[in-house]
Amino acid sequence: MSDIQDRTRKIVVEHLGVEEDKVTENASFIDDLGADSLDTVELVMAFEEEFGIEIPDDAAETIQTFGDAVKFIKEAV
Amino acid sequence: MRRVVVTGLGMVSPLAAGVEETWTRLLAGQSGAGTITRFDAGHLATTYACEIPRGDGSDGTFNPDDWMEPKEQRKVDDFILYGMAAAEMAVKDSGWMPEGTEDRERTGVMIGSGIGGLQSIAETAVLIKERGARRVSPFFIPGALINLVSGQVSIRYGFKGPNHAVVTACSTGAHAIGDAARLIMLGDADVMVAGGAESPICEIGIAGFNACKALSTKRGNEPEKASRPYDADRDGFVMGEGAGVVVLEEYEHAKARGAKIYAEILGYGLSGDAYHITAPSEDGEGGERAMRNALRSAGLSGADVDYINAHGTSTMADTIELGAVERVMGDAASKATMSSTKSSIGHLLGAAGAVEAIFCILALRDQVAPPTINLDNPAVEPKLDLAPNAKREREIGVALSNSFGFGGTNASLVMGRIDR
């Protein structure tokens, strides 16, 4: 399971250009990691690609933090 | 009308990243042409182009990381990257980076492109076909839109004045500088960052211009000889890429802050051919009217012009332009020098007019006209000195730059030394 967390963190680090230790459980993509609304759309696409899952738009809107993303992905894979 | 001067220059060209590096190589008669490396062009009718030399930033190479963060580069097409780099050079050169609200609101941006994000559009179309519409990046549209060079530049520096972008094919860069100068003359802004950017060296770009029969195809073995304006053996233009950006400023504004003044924008003329989608009218009357309009707005005549940077693309149209220039110059033609710098850097399409205006400004500064390289056997006997294969050190007080685009859109800029 930590594998999913690591892979998710790696995507966030690469796409948002942030330090790995900033990507904590409660880190908000927009408020803490400098993403704008387009960045979050791209992040969700990258999660879909990495894990071979589909994240519908209404679900994507609920993914605000790194923890939200990991939780959703763990349930979806 | 308020006077407009040039206080900053920036350029990314197939000869080098940087204004002075490019100028030195241009005067030395170097060519930026070579076999296309960006993608495998072996199956196309044209296999060569004038690509920007990429590298670590030393020796005039272009290092994208010097101009945009890697994570931001990913979100934009190359024309925006080139435009941002040229704009950064120009703004820094001008020293105009205001912090105050009013100064920022009086500073605008007008950087255009002929085609914009051609490569992004092509790649995204393929992506949709192969993997579906859900895979399209949210950055595709803002990374491909022509006006996003102007948008990005305004965001980087907080320039909140007029934000605009010209799209007139190969006349884009000249129209952008001319129109931006007019905005300053009319009082809409005190400073404008203006120019053009283009990144057409991709499969769809080369294939498209090949289909128009516009590109040189015969010199795969010696690409550096392919761009040869006015030469009897020319067979089409050589595609280039890059960006040229200038900082234009109201004269009193520039003087008040002690800015370095390169030259003055003296005149600007526009016209339409109303003739054909790709070919110029055979008598060249459209280009002739653009030049006459520019000279009239400057209060000058052809006899006042010392140097002309020609549109001169290395196509059949070269001699049409030459005839038009000779009519405008009249008896003074024999005293003027005209060169086509496309012989060295190829045709930068929407960036061409801006890059070539900068060459005129440097010609005014250094009192030297750059050469027309590869002009070994002129197709016609010119009345003008075409500076074949060697730069001309000479007096240059007034320079004129021509740009003509598909659709029959023509622009001429007249620039002069401030102390002439």
Side-chain angles (χ1 to χ4, degrees), chain B residues 197-214:
Chain B
E198 202 78 64
S199 54
I201 304 178
C202 51
E203 188 178 21
I204 192 171
I206 300 291
F209 279 93
N210 269 155
C212 295
K213 304 293 178 196

Side-chain angles (χ1 to χ4, degrees), chain B residues 32-367:
Chain B
T35 300
I36 291 171
T37 60
R38 199 69 47 76
F39 66 97
D40 182 1
H43 60 297
L44 298 176
T46 295
T47 57
Y48 46 94
C50 291
E51 294 179 319
I52 291 168
R54 293 201 181 207
D56 63 5
S58 64
D59 193 30
T61 56
F62 177 70
N63 181 355
D65 296 352
D66 291 344
W67 308 102
M68 250 182 144
E69 281 185 50
K71 78 180 172 75
E72 298 302 319
Q73 289 171 33
R74 227 170 22 85
K75 300 175 185 174
V76 300
D77 200 278
D78 280 347
F79 80 102
I80 294 180
L81 174 64
Y82 302 155
M84 288 289 276
E88 171 127 358
M89 293 174 199
V91 168
K92 282 197 172 145
D93 185 36
S94 76
W96 180 247
M97 281 178 274
E99 300 286 336
T101 302
E102 197 186 334
D103 284 341
R104 287 181 163 193
E105 289 176 359
R106 298 292 298 165
T107 304
V109 189
M110 194 184 308
I111 301 171
S113 181
I115 315 182
L118 192 54
Q119 166 122 7
S120 306
I121 293 168
E123 285 173 353
T124 304
V126 171
L127 180 79
I128 289 179
K129 184 92 175 165
E130 291 180 348
R131 305 191 55 207
R134 276 180 56 82
R135 304 312 308 167
V136 175
S137 165
F139 298 108
F140 161 55
I141 295 291
L145 287 180
I146 282 171
N147 70 299
L148 259 285
V149 186
S150 291
Q152 292 267 10
V153 168
S154 73
I155 292 164
R156 177 173 284 185
Y157 298 103
F159 293 156
K160 294 185 169 183
N163 199 272
H164 204 331
V166 174
V167 183
T168 48
C170 308
S171 294
T172 297
H175 274 138
I177 292 172
D179 289 348
R182 293 257 163 105
L183 289 184
I184 295 173
M185 289 175 190
L186 292 168
D188 294 276
D190 294 326
V191 182
M192 289 293 296
V193 180
E198 202 78 64
S199 54
I201 304 178
C202 51
E203 188 178 21
I204 192 171
I206 300 291
F209 279 93
N210 269 155
C212 295
K213 304 293 178 196
L215 295 178
S216 167
T217 59
K218 293 178 181 164
R219 287 196 168 75
N221 292 327
E222 45 175 7
E224 69 283 357
K225 302 279 185 199
S227 187
R228 41 195 319 113
Y230 316 108
D231 192 88
D233 296 323
R234 68 197 189 283
D235 75 319
F237 79 79
V238 177
M239 191 80 91
E241 61 175 349
V245 174
V246 299
V247 174
L248 302 174
E249 192 163 346
E250 193 273 324
Y251 180 47
E252 297 299 336
H253 187 279
K255 263 202 317 191
R257 70 180 185 92
K260 166 185 60 190
I261 295 174
Y262 284 97
E264 180 170 3
I265 305 295
L266 298 172
Y268 171 45
L270 311 81
S271 74
D273 281 353
Y275 176 72
H276 188 266
I277 53 173
T278 61
S281 59
E282 285 168 29
D283 56 7
E285 68 84 31
E288 180 176 344
R289 281 185 291 113
M291 284 183 269
R292 291 192 190 281
N293 290 341
L295 288 166
R296 189 175 59 229
S297 78
L300 298 172
S301 75
D304 297 311
V305 178
D306 304 301
Y307 171 65
I308 299 134
N309 189 295
H311 185 59
T313 54
S314 186
T315 62
M316 46 70 76
D318 295 354
T319 48
I320 295 175
E321 180 190 14
L322 181 62
V325 171
E326 287 176 348
R327 288 195 296 280
V328 170
M329 300 296 290
D331 292 341
S334 61
K335 290 187 284 185
T337 296
M338 175 164 96
S339 60
S340 169
T341 44
K342 289 187 179 78
S343 58
S344 284
I345 62 169
H347 191 354
L348 274 57
L349 308 184
V355 164
E356 292 161 15
I358 293 173
F359 292 153
C360 284
I361 291 161
L362 296 172
L364 290 163
R365 181 190 71 178
D366 294 346
Q367 300 291 285

Side-chain angles (χ1 to χ4, degrees), chain A residues 9-64:
Chain A
R9 179 176 284 118
K10 189 160 177 279
I11 289 169
V12 173
V13 167
E14 280 172 6
H15 278 78
L16 301 183
V18 292
E19 298 295 324
E20 205 171 305
D21 58 10
K22 295 275 194 305
V23 188
T24 57
E25 176 81 15
N26 293 323
S28 158
F29 295 124
I30 289 177
D31 296 334
D32 301 317
L33 301 176
D36 64 19
S37 60
L38 297 182
D39 290 316
T40 61
V41 173
E42 197 188 40
L43 265 184
V44 166
M45 288 172 62
F47 297 150
E48 290 182 326
E49 182 88 2
E50 173 73 16
F51 297 103
I53 57 175
E54 187 163 321
I55 306 176
D57 287 351
D58 53 355
E61 283 168 21
T62 68
I63 300 176
Q64 304 283 333

